[in-house]
Amino acid sequence: MSASRNLIYDSRWISPTGIGRFASELGDRLPCLHHQAIGGSPTSPLDCLRLGWMLWNTDRAFFSPGFNVPLTSPMLAKRSFVFTIHDLIYVNHPAEASLAKRLYCQHVIRPAARRAYKVLTVSEFSKREIVDWARIDPSQIEVVYNGVGSAFTHAGPKHDLHRPYLLYVGNQRPHKNVGGLLHAFAQICGTRDVDLAITGQATAETVATMEKLAIAGRVHFLGKLSDDQLAAAYRGAQATVLASEYEGFGLPVIESMACGTPVVCSNVTSLPEVAGDAAVLVETHPDSIAAGIRRVLEDPTLQQTLIAAGLNRAADFSWEATAAKVLQVLQPLTVAATQSVPTLIQPLEASVK
């Protein structure tokens, strides 16, 4: 009988981000993962060299909850690996990536998707994008989705801004369309008694937009929040708004729904897939965003319908289900006899053509 072996797990990804939550939840639930000290940063373009050398000196397979992979060659490649591409933001929005990251996507991640034992992703939308970009068979990619953390429940304390508020959760990078949300909010706040709360701190661009629109006094920045604080912020909001131009999944959609708060989100990329019929879907321009927000604020019946539908939709996503899907992919690699996949190894030069 073959002995069971733990997989090397890249726990460096654990952080208060979407990928970090994915990494943390899997690390807590899968005992087959060995949290080995690796050093360095998983987002460094040179990390592929560190991982390649590490795998050359071990008999274990490797699993990353993020997009970092070992750089292999016909001479060095001998261990199986699984990694996760949550989205193709650096490919589809190159202005948000450095030259080094763009080169890393093209010459490291793309060929690695063809050499990997499996590639994980978090939505059918992302899977289709990866298949087209990497030119690989759909069977090479497994959709495992994200889940809702235990802190995000309907019952619990509510954040109090002393005024009704809308909530945006996320960073302020261009693809998040915070500028579009601010312009939409400017159309609303003159006639509605509602403010806007945003997690994190304001960027210089966000401050400039607020000042231009004369809404700075109506927008509040909540800073860095724990899960319990974030759940309270969701519960206290009139609605959560995610007007992104691009998402690979969209965790705030299901977290807000799980907390019993209506959601207004964009009708692009992964968001319709994740939201189902439990959100008000809008286009990404300010007029449509504002119209969607008004629908929710002005219609109590719609609010109750969205709350009920959202709770049901959020129940479809759990970290236990995600972990079970990931384990199903990783299980063959935990057997000592399954160490290499030479038929999947291709020279780097050939795989980037």
Side-chain angles (χ1 to χ4, degrees):
M1 177 180 286
S2 298
S4 176
R5 290 185 184 271
N6 288 345
L7 280 71
I8 296 173
Y9 184 55
D10 198 339
S11 58
R12 295 176 297 170
W13 284 102
I14 295 175
S15 66
T17 64
I19 295 179
R21 189 183 299 278
F22 182 85
S24 176
E25 297 287 352
L26 293 182
D28 290 343
R29 286 173 169 79
L30 297 179
C32 65
L33 302 180
H34 173 63
H35 296 237
Q36 180 166 321
I38 298 175
S41 169
T43 62
S44 167
L46 298 180
D47 192 59
C48 55
L49 301 176
R50 184 193 308 271
L51 295 179
W53 176 250
M54 179 189 71
L55 291 186
W56 176 250
N57 290 283
T58 185
D59 61 354
R60 292 175 173 175
F62 171 74
F63 170 48
S64 173
F67 56 77
N68 61 324
V69 291
L71 182 63
T72 58
S73 70
M75 185 180 204
L76 294 176
K78 68 171 188 172
R79 302 299 173 216
S80 302
F81 63 92
V82 174
F83 73 113
T84 312
I85 303 177
H86 293 257
D87 56 53
L88 292 179
I89 185 65
Y90 293 145
V91 174
N92 292 305
H93 290 261
E96 296 191 28
S98 65
L99 175 61
K101 285 186 177 179
R102 295 197 301 270
L103 291 173
Y104 182 85
C105 288
Q106 185 68 20
H107 299 295
V108 178
I109 296 179
R110 190 178 182 205
R114 303 168 184 173
R115 298 194 307 272
Y117 177 75
K118 287 286 184 181
V119 177
L120 305 184
T121 194
V122 293
S123 66
E124 291 292 341
F125 164 77
S126 287
K127 177 175 179 175
R128 291 191 298 272
E129 287 222 313
I130 297 164
V131 167
D132 292 342
W133 173 66
R135 295 198 292 271
I136 58 178
D137 191 276
S139 64
Q140 179 73 357
I141 304 174
E142 293 291 336
V143 178
V144 298
Y145 291 107
N146 283 310
V148 177
S150 58
F152 302 98
T153 60
H154 194 188
K158 297 180 179 181
H159 185 77
D160 185 8
L161 272 185
H162 307 294
R163 287 176 58 84
Y165 66 92
L166 304 167
L167 178 66
Y168 165 73
V169 176
N171 61 54
Q172 295 159 57
R173 289 160 62 189
H175 73 277
K176 294 291 189 177
N177 196 28
V178 173
L181 172 58
L182 292 173
H183 278 82
F185 178 68
Q187 296 182 27
I188 294 170
C189 66
T191 58
R192 298 292 308 189
D193 182 28
V194 65
D195 284 5
L196 175 62
I198 297 176
T199 58
Q201 302 295 335
T203 64
E205 183 177 359
T206 296
V207 170
T209 302
M210 292 189 301
E211 291 177 349
K212 178 181 177 181
L213 296 170
I215 58 172
R218 302 286 295 275
V219 182
H220 311 267
F221 291 87
L222 304 181
K224 182 179 178 181
L225 303 179
S226 68
D227 282 0
D228 287 340
Q229 291 170 328
L230 179 56
Y234 282 126
R235 294 187 201 105
Q238 301 294 297
T240 298
V241 186
L242 189 64
S244 304
E245 295 174 349
Y246 184 95
E247 292 285 347
F249 184 81
L251 265 175
V253 170
I254 59 171
E255 289 177 345
S256 179
M257 290 177 176
C259 292
T261 298
V263 172
V264 177
C265 68
S266 308
N267 62 356
V268 298
T269 63
S270 65
L271 294 174
E273 175 187 346
V274 173
D277 61 359
V280 171
L281 300 181
V282 298
E283 298 177 15
T284 57
H285 60 79
D287 289 349
S288 182
I289 300 167
I293 294 171
R294 286 195 189 96
R295 282 188 62 199
V296 174
L297 294 180
E298 296 173 1
D299 189 340
T301 300
L302 176 60
Q303 293 170 19
Q304 293 305 311
T305 298
L306 291 174
I307 290 170
L311 290 169
N312 288 332
R313 182 59 176 164
D316 292 337
F317 298 93
S318 72
W319 287 116
E320 289 75 18
T322 298
K325 292 173 184 176
V326 173
L327 180 60
Q328 188 174 21
V329 172
L330 299 180
Q331 192 70 55
L333 299 183
T334 64
V335 178
T338 309
Q339 294 181 4
S340 62
V341 281
T343 59
L344 295 180
I345 305 302
Q346 302 175 15
L348 179 61
E349 294 81 3
S351 58
V352 298
K353 289 182 179 178

